[in-house]
């Protein structure tokens, strides 16, 4: 199929054709549909409204279950919503660590523990992809704050990077997610989607050979991102094609680099096209699954020695100062 594409079609394939669908190159290639997660499908319909589907507990509550079974159940249940709504890839799960309460995406992330996060994400991915729906492991990497998240620079030493920030990705990647989504921020001075070392770690050290997609509107320099092996720019950016063509004509990017990304995208499309999809839960059962996960995640405090409610003169005075 790659040999049947013109240069222009190859470059078009490296960005979306609209906010949520991959390019079909005039009907030569099947377009695949991407939609948000992670605690329920968020697909935008043709009328601009979000389609109705089951609402699940957020990922933080799922982490409170400490249950591989619940993680797999949640993934499998959400996959049924994806199947019914013709979604090929669920943009989830997020495995960045909760390092500050000020991170606006904490509700999308599991916990502050890298092993718990990676393990539950592994089973969540297995649950989704066991139904023939792809996932996007995100946000790679070190997207743990909110202030200026499009531009902030995460400065992290080697040991902390591998033992904390990359560990949940390393664990979850064993489930072979179809895609990995890069993050908005810089890591040690380079935007993650342009960070060649970060992508070499992903592909060579962690063995990921699938498609790397950008977070929506995260790409600042499309040629640099391509050279780092960011395959697909999301969402639709009308100037991306022209930027890539200009970079190719100037010798900044090579046909070999273009073809490598095109090949990975074509393999993703083929995987989506040939996957066997069949729902296993009714809508009522999905609702019941969501309730079960919520119940498993509830944490109760034991009021020993009648500590609660806090009395004047206790620790509560510290918060009044």
């Amino acid at each position: 199929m790659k040999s049947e594409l013109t240069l222009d079609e190859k470059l078009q394939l490296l960005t979306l054709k609209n906010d949520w669908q991959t390019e079909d190159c005039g009907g030569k290639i099947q377009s695949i549909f991407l939609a948000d997660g992670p605690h329920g499908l968020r697909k935008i319909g043709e009328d601009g409204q979000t389609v109705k589907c089951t609402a699940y507990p957020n990922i933080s509550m799922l982490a409170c279950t400490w249950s591989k079974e619940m993680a797999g159940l949640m993934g499998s249940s959400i996959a049924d919503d994806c199947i019914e709504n013709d979604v090929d890839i669920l943009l989830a799960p997020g495995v960045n660590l909760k390092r500050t309460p000020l991170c606006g995406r904490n509700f999308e992330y599991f916990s502050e523990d890298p092993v718990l996060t990676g393990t539950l994400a592994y089973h969540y991915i297995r649950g989704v992809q066991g139904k023939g729906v792809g996932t996007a492991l995100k946000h790679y990497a070190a997207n743990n704050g909110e202030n200026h998240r499009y531009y902030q620079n995460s400065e992290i030493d080697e040991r902390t990077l591998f033992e904390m920030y990359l560990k949940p990705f390393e664990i979850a990647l064993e489930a072979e997610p179809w895609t990995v989504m890069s993050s908005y921020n810089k890591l040690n001075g380079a935007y993650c989607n342009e960070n060649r070392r970060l992508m070499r770690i992903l592909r060579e050290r962690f063995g990921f050979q699938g498609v790397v997609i950008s977070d929506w509107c995260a790409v600042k320099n499309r040629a640099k991102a391509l050279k780092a092996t960011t395959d697909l720019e999301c969402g639709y950016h009308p100037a991306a094609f022209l930027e890539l063509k200009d970079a190719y004509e100037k010798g900044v990017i090579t046909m070999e680099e273009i073809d490598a990304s095109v090949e990975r995208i074509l393999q993703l499309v083929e995987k989506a096209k040939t996957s066997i999809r069949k729902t296993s839960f009714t809508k009522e059962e999905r609702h019941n699954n969501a309730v079960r996960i919520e119940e498993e995640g509830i944490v109760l405090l034991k009021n020993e020695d009648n500590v609660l409610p806090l009395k004047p003169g206790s620790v509560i005075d510290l918060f009044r100062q």
Side-chain angles (χ1 to χ4, degrees), residues 203-217:
R203 296 195 182 279
E204 297 173 14
R205 180 163 178 162
F206 295 160
F208 179 71
Q209 298 303 315
V211 171
V212 172
I213 67 178
S214 77
D215 206 339
W216 263 239
C217 305

Side-chain angles (χ1 to χ4, degrees), residues 88-107:
D88 300 292
I89 296 178
L90 180 72
L91 300 173
V95 295
N96 297 79
L97 300 183
K98 297 177 186 288
R99 304 295 285 164
T100 167
L102 301 180
C103 179
R105 288 182 160 185
N106 274 347
F107 73 100

Side-chain angles (χ1 to χ4, degrees), residues 124-312:
Y124 179 105
I125 292 168
R126 290 287 296 272
V128 175
Q129 295 190 170
K131 296 284 187 68
V133 176
T135 57
L137 182 63
K138 62 185 187 182
H139 302 90
Y140 188 73
N143 182 194
N144 304 91
E146 188 65 18
N147 191 32
H148 301 295
R149 81 175 181 202
Y150 291 93
Y151 309 101
Q152 67 173 305
N153 181 32
S154 299
E155 298 182 10
I156 306 172
D157 65 86
E158 286 291 283
R159 182 175 180 182
T160 306
L161 180 64
F162 281 96
E163 293 185 5
M164 295 296 296
Y165 293 96
L166 296 185
K167 178 57 70 173
F169 288 95
E170 182 181 12
I171 295 170
L173 282 165
E174 292 294 323
E176 300 183 351
W178 290 9
T179 72
V180 168
M181 181 190 291
S182 62
S183 56
Y184 287 118
N185 55 286
K186 297 176 183 178
L187 175 62
N188 295 333
Y191 283 109
C192 289
N193 62 74
E194 302 174 7
N195 194 315
R196 296 195 196 188
R197 180 169 185 263
L198 185 63
M199 293 303 172
R200 282 200 301 272
I201 292 169
L202 176 67
R203 296 195 182 279
E204 297 173 14
R205 180 163 178 162
F206 295 160
F208 179 71
Q209 298 303 315
V211 171
V212 172
I213 67 178
S214 77
D215 206 339
W216 263 239
C217 305
V219 174
K220 306 294 189 298
N221 185 309
R222 187 63 186 96
K224 286 184 179 180
L226 180 69
K227 294 184 79 66
T229 72
T230 297
D231 303 303
L232 182 62
E233 179 178 358
C234 302
Y236 173 64
H237 181 200
F241 167 78
L242 295 176
E243 290 175 5
L244 285 170
K245 190 160 188 179
D246 181 64
Y248 175 72
E249 291 173 347
K250 291 179 178 178
V252 176
I253 58 176
T254 66
M255 183 59 73
E256 182 180 7
E257 290 167 329
I258 294 169
D259 281 346
S261 285
V262 167
E263 183 63 36
R264 285 189 286 267
I265 293 172
L266 291 176
Q267 289 174 356
L268 176 64
V269 171
E270 183 66 19
K271 189 178 295 185
K273 184 172 66 174
T274 59
S275 64
I276 299 174
R277 298 176 185 173
K278 184 178 180 181
T279 61
S280 56
F281 301 114
T282 65
K283 291 183 179 180
E284 182 179 0
E285 287 171 335
R286 274 171 250 167
H287 171 78
N288 293 336
N289 290 344
V291 172
R292 181 183 172 196
I293 295 166
E294 183 79 20
E295 291 173 344
E296 291 285 335
I298 292 173
V299 178
L300 297 178
L301 297 177
K302 187 176 181 180
N303 191 18
E304 288 186 345
D305 301 323
N306 295 314
V307 171
L308 299 175
L310 296 175
K311 302 172 180 62

Side-chain angles (χ1 to χ4, degrees), residues 24-129:
D24 60 3
C25 297
K28 287 185 178 181
I29 303 168
Q30 178 176 307
S31 179
I32 59 178
F33 204 104
L34 297 75
D36 266 333
H39 16 75
L41 174 65
R42 187 179 77 89
K43 178 183 179 181
I44 308 301
E46 294 181 0
D47 59 358
Q49 301 298 309
T50 303
V51 300
K52 292 183 178 181
C53 63
T54 307
Y56 297 85
N58 70 25
I59 290 295
S60 304
M61 176 62 82
L62 177 61
C64 290
T65 69
W66 288 71
S67 170
K68 300 173 184 178
E69 179 190 357
M70 292 299 102
L73 178 65
M74 187 163 165
S76 180
S77 299
I78 295 175
D80 281 3
D81 287 310
C82 293
I83 294 168
E84 288 184 353
N85 289 281
D86 298 320
V87 168
D88 300 292
I89 296 178
L90 180 72
L91 300 173
V95 295
N96 297 79
L97 300 183
K98 297 177 186 288
R99 304 295 285 164
T100 167
L102 301 180
C103 179
R105 288 182 160 185
N106 274 347
F107 73 100
E108 294 187 42
Y109 300 147
F110 288 86
S111 79
E112 67 278 13
D113 182 86
V115 176
L116 175 64
T117 293
T119 301
L120 294 187
Y122 170 94
H123 289 277
Y124 179 105
I125 292 168
R126 290 287 296 272
V128 175
Q129 295 190 170

